[in-house]
Amino acid sequence: MMKIYVDPGHGGSDPGAQGNGLKEKDITLDIARRIRNLLTNNYTNADVRMSRTGDSTKSLNERTNEANSWGADYYLSIHCNSFNGSAQGYEDYIHSSLSDSSTTARYQDIMHSEITKVNQLRNRGQKKANFHVLRETTMSALLTENGFIDNDHDAKLMRDPSWRQTVAQGHVNGLAKAFNLKRKKEDGTLYKVVAGSFQSKENAEKRESHLQSNGIESFIEAVTMSGERWYRVQAGAFSNRNNAEAQLEKVKNAGVEDAFITAVN
């Protein structure tokens, strides 16, 4: 079992970087939750622990001590950047003491490649720094900076839940490749819980926001039906029909009566 410690940067009394009406702590938590869900729903050998699952305050020491005592195999810290409004793009970091041929650097190569394939951000490259979470962890660690929150272009993307889902998927693609994660029932039926389909993206975002406020993770998927573009709100995908039914009930209890399950082979 691969033990992956996912650390959404900042939180609680520490908002992190701010700009364009957004706070880093909120963006990092959302992406990290999506990473966790993708890993736990789709892979058999990924054990995920998060430094925080809500808007709580947690010191850097607490985060690294927890990962170390748990015996994590990999530490993944999710962040956003800020500078002067004009800087933009994605970059990631390993500790400055490590060589380019180290195991951690090899993992960085894979992660960087997979994330930058999908994130629609300027590629600022692979870097090294003496950050606490990179220095004090006893396992390989990577810190990703997913755009500049004070840059108009990057902030517009950050605001989009489907972009955050894509970024999470990019991280997961990297983890799966780096650590040979095994997919669940690759050829089996996948049961998707659909919590509404809308022709208006704004309405889909309202539905997603409603679900999130009720503690239900979801994302928006653009689909074309009969030549028209629809925005479908998906609230989970399961290889087990019973798990999908349980999620459907949860969604309906949150007031979403038009939710349904679709089976994909």
Side-chain angles (χ1 to χ4, degrees):
M1 188 65 78
M2 185 74 202
K3 296 166 90 169
I4 302 167
Y5 190 88
V6 182
D7 173 30
H10 309 282
S13 59
D14 173 17
Q18 299 179 71
N20 291 293
L22 301 171
K23 293 177 182 172
E24 180 181 4
K25 67 175 183 177
D26 300 328
I27 304 297
T28 61
L29 179 61
D30 187 78
I31 293 171
R33 279 174 171 167
R34 293 170 188 272
I35 290 171
R36 175 199 62 192
N37 293 346
L38 286 165
L39 286 170
T40 54
N41 288 339
N42 299 318
Y43 295 91
T44 58
N45 61 332
D47 189 4
V48 184
R49 185 173 290 190
M50 291 175 64
S51 61
R52 62 184 181 96
T53 54
D55 186 20
S56 55
T57 305
K58 196 163 191 174
S59 72
L60 293 174
N61 273 327
E62 285 173 318
R63 295 170 200 243
T64 52
N65 287 346
E66 186 174 84
N68 291 342
S69 61
W70 182 46
D73 297 302
Y74 196 63
Y75 190 107
L76 179 61
S77 193
I78 310 297
H79 284 259
C80 304
N81 237 324
S82 70
F83 184 56
N84 61 2
S86 64
Q88 64 182 100
Y90 168 85
E91 60 198 26
D92 48 47
Y93 292 85
I94 59 172
H95 192 253
S96 45
S97 65
L98 296 166
S99 76
D100 290 343
S101 58
S102 64
T103 301
T104 302
R106 200 167 70 248
Y107 293 150
Q108 182 186 27
D109 291 343
I110 296 168
M111 294 290 292
H112 186 89
S113 171
E114 292 300 320
I115 295 166
T116 54
K117 272 181 196 173
V118 299
N119 67 4
Q120 303 167 60
L121 293 170
R122 180 179 294 166
N123 187 350
R124 297 171 60 88
Q126 298 171 229
K127 301 185 178 184
K128 297 178 184 180
N130 188 30
F131 297 142
H132 175 98
V133 297
L134 304 178
R135 184 182 65 247
E136 301 301 326
T137 40
T138 54
M139 70 295 301
S140 289
L142 181 74
L143 185 145
T144 65
E145 291 278 8
N146 297 277
F148 283 74
I149 206 163
D150 58 349
N151 176 266
D152 291 345
H153 169 270
D154 289 7
K156 186 177 179 185
L157 290 172
M158 287 179 199
R159 212 174 257 117
D160 184 350
S162 59
W163 178 84
R164 300 194 299 269
Q165 182 73 17
T166 299
V167 167
Q169 187 67 66
H171 282 70
V172 170
N173 292 347
L175 292 167
K177 197 168 181 181
F179 302 112
N180 195 26
L181 299 181
K182 306 293 183 197
R183 286 194 72 90
K184 290 180 181 176
K185 290 187 181 176
E186 193 111 2
D187 303 320
T189 302
L190 195 62
Y191 299 98
K192 295 183 178 182
V193 179
V194 179
S197 290
F198 306 88
Q199 286 192 286
S200 158
K201 190 175 184 185
E202 188 180 345
N203 289 341
E205 287 171 350
K206 283 179 185 170
R207 174 62 53 85
E208 190 201 29
S209 178
H210 172 75
L211 290 167
Q212 297 274 19
S213 68
N214 281 276
I216 299 168
E217 299 295 330
S218 58
F219 69 95
I220 297 167
E221 184 182 28
V223 293
T224 302
M225 292 185 283
S226 306
E228 292 186 325
R229 195 166 183 78
W230 289 77
Y231 297 95
R232 177 183 283 172
V233 181
Q234 189 176 310
F238 306 87
S239 54
N240 182 297
R241 175 88 196 195
N242 291 337
N243 292 343
E245 296 280 4
Q247 180 75 339
L248 179 65
E249 189 176 346
K250 192 175 172 187
V251 169
K252 289 195 170 182
N253 287 341
V256 180
E257 286 300 324
D258 56 343
F260 61 93
I261 292 172
T262 177
V264 183
N265 287 313

